[in-house]
């Protein structure tokens, strides 16, 4: 099957997830010149559709496609929630022998989530139109036949060390300007928490990262923006027209924010872009 034929067929399709998933996967096999599950493994012992799995939360479920040592794959209907599909796969992962790749697809977008132990998670997103490009097809082919090509090079430990260096440098510069050590520590703890909160979705739309990006352009704007955010996090409220939840605990006991220079903000932004 050619890329053009695949794209034309599946852009036009209005089939439901149940009706379309296996046909879509078989067409991908044809597009990538990969053997199908039944051609590769007629017994279904290491490569199969509808692989049964016990959820970590209890109960039974099915991975739409599974290949031992390579991937687990979950389909959703067009423009459905791929985050929900990924969460579903995470519940199956242990029962499926922790495959290194977790793949979700809504017929028009494929997301490949890396799942190696002690590595930084990477997501490869491939839209249906991008399948015209050889590089994207090569990425997808690696899922089937050479998943090690997609293994991230950076470990979580290395990422943590990199972030720690960024914050240590920032703290030293703030202290050199005469700010109290406790005030600097409290302020940096707040920033670290904001970065964590947006990574896990508690601050929507990467709000803090966008604030840092604006601060790099206008450093004098950062402290007032941070004060507004910390105030909203202390009691719940709005930052502009975006709602911020109430965060319990003493971290936001006041809304003080230290002034930052462009170099400080660039270093904080570098840390914020780490996942």
């Amino acid at each position: 099957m050619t890329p053009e034929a695949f794209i034309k067929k599946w852009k036009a399709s209005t089939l439901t997830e149940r009706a379309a998933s296996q046909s879509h996967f078989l067409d991908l096999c044809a597009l990538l010149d990969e053997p199908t599950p039944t051609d590769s493994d007629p017994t279904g012992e290491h490569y199969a559709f509808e692989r049964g799995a016990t959820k970590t939360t209890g109960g039974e479920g099915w991975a739409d496609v599974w290949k031992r040592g390579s991937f687990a794959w979950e389909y959703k209907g067009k423009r459905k929630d791929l985050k929900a599909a990924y969460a579903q796969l995470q519940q199956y992962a242990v029962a499926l022998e922790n495959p290194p790749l977790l793949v979700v697809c809504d017929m028009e977008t494929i997301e490949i989530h890396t799942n190696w132990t002690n590595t930084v998670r990477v997501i490869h997103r491939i839209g249906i139109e991008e399948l015209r490009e050889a590089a994207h097809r090569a990425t997808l082919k690696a899922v089937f036949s050479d998943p090690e090509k997609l293994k991230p090079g950076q470990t979580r430990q290395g990422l943590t060390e990199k972030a720690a260096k960024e914050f240590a440098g920032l703290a030293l510069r703030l202290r050199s300007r005469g700010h109290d050590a406790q005030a600097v520590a409290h302020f940096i703890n707040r920033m670290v928490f904001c970065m964590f909160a947006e990574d896990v979705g508690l601050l929507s739309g990467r709000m803090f990262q966008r604030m840092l990006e604006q601060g790099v352009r206008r450093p004098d704007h950062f402290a007032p923006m941070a004060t507004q955010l910390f105030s909203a996090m202390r009691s719940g409220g709005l930052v502009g027209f975006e709602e911020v939840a109430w965060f319990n605990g003493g971290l936001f006991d006041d809304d003080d924010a230290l002034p930052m220079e462009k170099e400080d903000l660039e270093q904080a932004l570098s840390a914020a872009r780490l996942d």
Side-chain angles (χ1 to χ4, degrees):
M1 175 172 275
T2 67
E4 288 299 333
F6 182 92
I7 293 166
K8 181 178 179 181
K9 175 178 177 178
W10 289 104
K11 285 192 72 173
S13 173
T14 58
L15 294 172
T16 65
E17 171 197 343
R18 182 179 294 275
S21 58
Q22 291 193 11
S23 178
H24 185 275
F25 190 84
L26 292 173
D27 281 352
L28 277 177
C29 291
L31 172 65
L32 300 169
D33 194 26
E34 288 288 332
T36 68
T38 49
D39 288 340
S40 177
D41 178 19
T43 67
E45 291 183 2
H46 65 82
Y47 191 11
F49 291 113
E50 297 294 326
R51 178 72 176 193
T54 301
K55 300 178 182 179
T56 54
T57 55
E60 300 296 320
W62 303 87
D64 288 326
V65 199
W66 168 78
K67 186 175 184 181
R68 177 176 286 136
S70 295
F71 63 82
W73 192 301
E74 188 68 25
Y75 274 99
K76 290 294 179 185
K78 279 192 174 182
R79 291 174 284 281
K80 296 295 184 180
D81 187 0
L82 290 181
K83 288 183 179 179
Y86 177 61
Q88 193 173 333
L89 274 185
Q90 287 179 303
Q91 294 178 31
Y92 300 155
V94 173
L96 296 173
E97 304 173 26
N98 275 319
L101 300 172
L102 301 178
V103 185
V104 293
C105 177
D106 69 354
M107 315 298 169
E108 291 192 343
T109 301
I110 299 170
E111 287 188 357
I112 305 159
H113 297 249
T114 62
N115 191 47
W116 276 272
T117 302
N118 193 36
T119 62
V120 177
R121 182 170 63 95
V122 174
I123 305 173
H124 303 272
R125 290 185 180 87
I126 303 174
I128 190 168
E129 299 280 359
E130 292 176 312
L131 290 173
R132 293 188 176 94
E133 300 174 29
H136 289 298
R137 296 198 303 275
T139 297
L140 192 54
K141 188 173 178 65
V143 173
F144 289 76
S145 56
D146 193 4
E148 286 291 321
K149 283 185 176 179
L150 303 182
K151 186 174 183 178
Q154 189 171 38
T155 65
R156 290 175 183 165
Q157 180 181 351
L159 185 72
T160 301
E161 290 173 354
K162 182 177 179 180
K165 289 177 181 177
E166 300 285 7
F167 289 120
L170 176 58
L172 287 172
R173 280 202 303 279
L174 290 173
R175 288 283 290 121
S176 72
R177 293 182 202 133
H179 294 296
D180 176 73
Q182 182 59 36
V184 169
H186 197 50
F187 178 58
I188 287 181
N189 280 342
R190 285 174 168 173
M191 290 202 296
V192 172
F193 183 83
C194 288
M195 294 175 194
F196 160 76
E198 69 179 10
D199 277 351
V200 298
L202 296 175
L203 284 177
S204 63
R206 307 209 64 85
M207 182 184 295
F208 189 68
Q209 182 174 315
R210 288 187 286 119
M211 187 177 295
L212 289 169
E213 289 168 346
Q214 176 63 24
V216 168
R217 292 189 289 269
R218 292 291 303 272
D220 57 314
H221 285 189
F222 177 75
M225 289 189 297
T227 295
Q228 185 183 12
L229 175 61
F230 296 162
S231 177
M233 294 175 79
R234 184 176 73 242
S235 56
L238 294 175
V239 174
F241 57 83
E242 298 178 76
E243 188 170 359
V244 174
W246 165 55
F247 288 80
N248 198 4
L251 191 56
F252 299 98
D253 50 1
D254 59 49
D255 57 12
D256 292 344
L258 299 181
M260 301 256 278
E261 297 179 359
K262 184 176 181 179
E263 184 182 4
D264 306 329
L265 291 159
E266 287 174 339
Q267 193 155 26
L269 181 57
S270 176
R273 285 173 172 158
L274 302 174
D275 187 359

